[in-house]
Amino acid sequence: MDIRSITRRFGGLVAVNQVSFSVNRNEIFGLIGPNGAGKTTLFNMITGLLSPSSGKLVYEGRDITKLRSHRIAACGIARTFQNIRLFGELSALENVAIAHHIHTKTGIFRGILGLPPTAREERHTRNNARSLLDLVGLVEKADQKAKNFAYGDQRRLEIARALALQPQVLLLDEPAAGMNPNEKKQLSEFIRQIRDQFNLTVLLIEHHVPLVMGLCDRIAVLDFGQLIALGEPEVVKNDPAVIEAYLGD
């Protein structure tokens, strides 16, 4: 994935300013910076929730800059959100199954009539959803409403739903928020596991610096919408501009 001179303006405010970097296939890539640095705005542009004011997004050689979010998801790019966005009144199984339906082939009329191909696809969708819930440790809660889950379980459910899209690139927006140190360690191990198991490229925003430094292959640092550092963790954490803007002494 190539981010080329991406800029986003909101009136007179420049939230992201001429940011460029590439994310390599199967890499775990971290995006860090102070609050208001433009990280989530950049995620929103990559996933089609916002259109760049200028610049270009290229994925697998294709310009995806002007694609809508559902088209980008169909290309193989999925995400979670800083503020969890689950269907609270639906069960965990239904939340994951909904995402998987992007890959079903049954037409709308067959679905309405409930013909056999629809039933077969529905069984496959639900089996796939259960497998993903098992992967994130939630299969025993498959029939419980998402709104009743603890915060950490909601985070894991959101990851399962993103994986149901069968992405090649997974964007995680502050996945460790609200977790205790042991949960953060388990999350780090889990991200490596799903990267290897699903052959993923992972791009994550995270404020917990030790997690990012220990997990990511490379890191980009934003400050006031500008890219101020890019490289391997050891290089980034010793960069004077990063220390001044974000890490402190």
Side-chain angles (χ1 to χ4, degrees), residues 132-141 153 156:
L132 291 172
L133 289 174
D134 189 31
L135 177 69
V136 300
L138 294 175
V139 71
E140 293 182 357
K141 300 180 179 181
D153 286 349
R156 287 187 287 164

Side-chain angles (χ1 to χ4, degrees), residues 197-211:
Q197 182 173 339
F198 294 98
N199 198 29
L200 291 174
T201 301
V202 180
L203 177 57
L204 69 111
I205 294 172
E206 184 51 59
H207 280 290
H208 186 67
V209 174
L211 185 150

Side-chain angles (χ1 to χ4, degrees), residues 4-56:
R4 303 178 182 174
S5 300
I6 285 295
T7 297
R8 175 66 196 199
R9 299 181 181 87
F10 296 97
L13 173 67
V14 182
V16 176
N17 189 14
Q18 294 286 313
V19 170
S20 298
F21 60 83
S22 297
V23 181
N24 301 322
R25 185 171 296 184
N26 301 130
E27 188 172 39
I28 300 178
F29 189 97
L31 187 61
I32 67 172
N35 287 328
K39 305 181 297 296
T40 295
T41 299
L42 182 56
F43 259 37
N44 287 341
M45 288 189 286
I46 293 172
T47 54
L49 295 180
L50 284 175
S51 297
S53 301
S54 62
K56 185 180 289 188

Side-chain angles (χ1 to χ4, degrees), residues 2 5 11 22 42 50 82 113 117 126 144 174 177 185 188 214 218-219 223:
D2 294 320
S5 300
S22 297
L42 182 56
L50 284 175
Q82 181 180 0
L113 294 173
R126 287 183 169 268
Q144 295 182 24
E174 296 195 32
K185 180 181 178 182
S188 183
R218 289 189 303 140
I219 299 168
D223 188 33

Side-chain angles (χ1 to χ4, degrees), residues 157-176:
L157 177 56
E158 201 176 31
I159 291 174
R161 187 176 64 179
L163 290 173
L165 293 169
Q166 300 176 14
Q168 286 85 54
V169 179
L170 178 62
L171 285 75
L172 303 174
D173 195 346
E174 296 195 32

